[in-house]
Each structure stands twice: as C-alpha cells, then as structure tokens.
C-alpha cells in the first residue's frame, strides 16, 4: 500500500538520501534505524509528502504522491514526531480535534473519538483540557499519538516518538504502543536510533548509513546474515554492557 521507488533527495548538493527503493508491509511495523544524519527522517518526510523527492516516486494506496495528491493522501497518514509536535496555544483536546474540525466532522463524532482515543492511549481525562506545557513528556506523546490516530489513518509514521522520554516512561509507552499497533493493525513506520527499540517494534528493520539502506530484514536476518560488516558493528556498538547489579541485601547477609 506504500512504496518508494528510486527516491532520492539532496540538500545544497549534499546527498541526504541516495536512490532508495522500499516496500512497506501492510499491517506490519517497519523500523528505520541508523546513526544520526543517515537519512531516516528524510525518508519519513518523503513518505508523508512533507518534502518532494529529487527523483523517484512514493506511492500511497496505489497513487503516486504529487503536490496535487498529497493533501488528500496526508489524511490517510498519521504522523508523530519527538515530543508530540503539539501547538502550544491549543489544549490537548483542541490539538487532537484540529484536523477533524477543519474537515467539518460533526462535533459529537469528534468528542466520541477523543474519548475513545484517550482510553486507547491511557491519557487521563483531566489532561485533555491542559495546554502542552502543562503536560508531562509522556502525556504529550500520548496526545500526539491521539492526534495522529484521530482520522483513523491506515498508515502511521513515527519519528523518534520516544526519544525525549525518561527510561521508565519510555519503556511503559513502548509496550503500550506495541499493543496499540497490533490491535489497530496499522501499517507503521517508526524511526529510531536505538537498536533495542528497533528489535522490540520491528517486524522489518531497515538499517541505514550515509543516505543508503544497508540491509532490510528481520532482527534475525541482521544478526545471523549481516549484509556487510557494518551491520554487525552497528548492532555491537549499541550493546552497552551494564555493570553487574549489586547482590540483593538479603543474599549478602546469607
Ligand atoms: P536522520 O533522521 O537519520 O538523523 P536526516 O534525514 O534528518 O537524518 O538528515 C540526513 C542528512 O540531510 C543530514 O546530513 C542532514 O544534515 C541533511 N538535512 C536534512 N534536512 C535538511 C534540510 N532541511 N536542509 C539541509 N540539510 C538537511
């Protein structure tokens, strides 16, 4: 349902994305991973039509994205960025409802959907009337996710959605997000630079370097059948060994 073919992008003569071809499996989660500056966000922005490719095509729902088709298609794509990307002068509920109201959806339908989504993402009801500055980072991300899901798009793109969160909130949201993706059967593309997160979410992992895809496959493919040494080096570099945990106090006494 979404595919990129030979898509490339340069900025001031510098390659952000070399010609890239990728098909996204419907109803599954594809993770884009790689070091900072390797072109993950560029690829995501091309998928949603926020930027136009220098060459190649992005096809969404059988239709090539063009400046003419992008508006319509964008309603079929939910987009979540780091820290939610919410409008600070609108409450959480207003942020979530913005596009639906703009499109003239009925107020009762909007309210019903907000109630349904706040329950799905486990946002407390009192948070809906608050402004983004008065929400925690985790709550902002939940609101960002609600906004992305408001029109029930088949496709969900998330750009480092958990990057700004503390480890406890991050791990809690990780497991809730995974559950939500599975329940809603969305086609999901998630950008991260964290291999643990890629392994946790990715039905397919796309490892990138310097504007190119190095390998596309399952975690097992990357571990067992690395396309090149870089794959193994990247995975190994991310395994930060923790110091041994101290023995439990009771054990020490025994
Ligand atoms: P990632 O998401 O993997 O960190 P990006 O896709 O944001 O990487 O960036 C890829 C490359 O393109 C980087 O070298 C970045 O500096 C460059 N780039 C991205 N957006 C722009 C832009 N709007 N103007 C100029 N250069 C950009």
């Amino acid at each position: 349902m979404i595919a990129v073919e030979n898509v490339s992008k340069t900025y001031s003569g510098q390659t952000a994305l070399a010609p890239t071809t990728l098909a996204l499996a419907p109803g599954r989660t594809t993770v884009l991973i790689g070091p900072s500056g390797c072109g993950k966000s560029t690829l995501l922005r091309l998928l949603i039509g926020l930027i136009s490719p220098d060459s190649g095509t992005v096809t969404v729902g059988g239709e090539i994205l063009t400046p003419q088709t992008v508006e319509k298609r964008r309603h079929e794509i939910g987009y979540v960025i780091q820290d939610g990307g919410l409008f600070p002068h609108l409450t959480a509920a207003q942020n979530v409802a913005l596009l639906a109201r703009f499109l003239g959806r009925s107020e009762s339908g909007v309210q019903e959907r907000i109630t349904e989504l706040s329950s799905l993402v486990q946002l407390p009801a009192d948070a809906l009337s608050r402004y983004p500055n008065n929400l925690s980072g985790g709550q902002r991300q939940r609101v960002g996710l609600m906004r992305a899901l408001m029109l029930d798009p088949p496709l969900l793109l998330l750009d480092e959605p958990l990057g700004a969160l503390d480890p406890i909130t991050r791990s809690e949201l990780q497991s809730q997000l995974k559950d939500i993706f599975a329940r809603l059967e969305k086609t999901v593309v998630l950008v991260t630079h964290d291999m643990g997160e890629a392994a946790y979410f990715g039905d397919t992992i796309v490892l990138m370097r310097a504007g190119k895809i190095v390998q596309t496959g399952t975690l097992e493919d990357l571990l067992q059948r690395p396309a090149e040494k870089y794959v193994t080096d990247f995975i190994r570099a991310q395994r930060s060994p923790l110091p041994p945990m101290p023995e439990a106090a009771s054990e020490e006494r025994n």
Side-chain angles (χ1 to χ4, degrees), residues 211-226:
K212 288 189 184 148
I213 294 177
V214 178
Q215 186 165 3
T216 301
T218 60
L219 176 65
E220 201 195 334
D221 290 333
L222 270 65
L223 287 170
Q224 305 295 334
R225 294 169 286 282

Side-chain angles (χ1 to χ4, degrees), residues 11-12 15-16 34-43 45 159 191:
Y11 289 107
S12 320
T15 301
S36 197
C38 72
K40 307 181 291 296
S41 302
T42 300
L43 182 50
R45 287 191 205 115
D159 197 347
V191 165

Side-chain angles (χ1 to χ4, degrees), residues 52-106:
S52 313
D54 297 341
S55 68
T57 54
V58 177
T59 309
V60 180
E63 190 173 66
I64 291 178
L65 275 194
T66 65
Q68 289 73 41
T69 60
V70 75
E71 270 314 308
K72 183 177 64 157
R73 285 297 171 194
R74 216 176 265 163
H75 299 161
E76 296 170 12
I77 305 176
Y79 185 46
V80 182
I81 59 171
Q82 202 178 89
D83 212 26
L86 304 174
F87 291 111
H89 61 291
L90 298 179
T91 64
Q94 287 167 339
N95 263 288
V96 172
L98 192 64
L99 185 56
R101 286 191 177 131
F102 176 75
L103 294 173
R105 302 288 162 91
S106 78

Side-chain angles (χ1 to χ4, degrees), residues 91-162:
T91 64
Q94 287 167 339
N95 263 288
V96 172
L98 192 64
L99 185 56
R101 286 191 177 131
F102 176 75
L103 294 173
R105 302 288 162 91
S106 78
E107 196 49 37
S108 60
V110 167
Q111 291 307 331
E112 206 173 294
R113 182 77 178 142
I114 289 179
T115 307
E116 191 179 298
L117 287 173
S118 52
S119 148
L120 179 77
V121 307
Q122 301 186 20
L123 184 81
D126 68 309
L128 284 169
S129 55
R130 283 194 242 142
Y131 289 91
N133 277 344
N134 301 328
L135 296 171
S136 69
Q139 287 172 335
R140 279 197 291 275
Q141 275 317 72
R142 289 171 204 273
V143 175
L145 186 63
M146 285 173 69
R147 185 173 64 176
L149 290 171
M150 185 69 190
L151 299 181
D152 199 18
L155 181 66
L156 200 54
L157 309 182
L158 305 101
D159 197 347
E160 303 241 19
L162 308 173

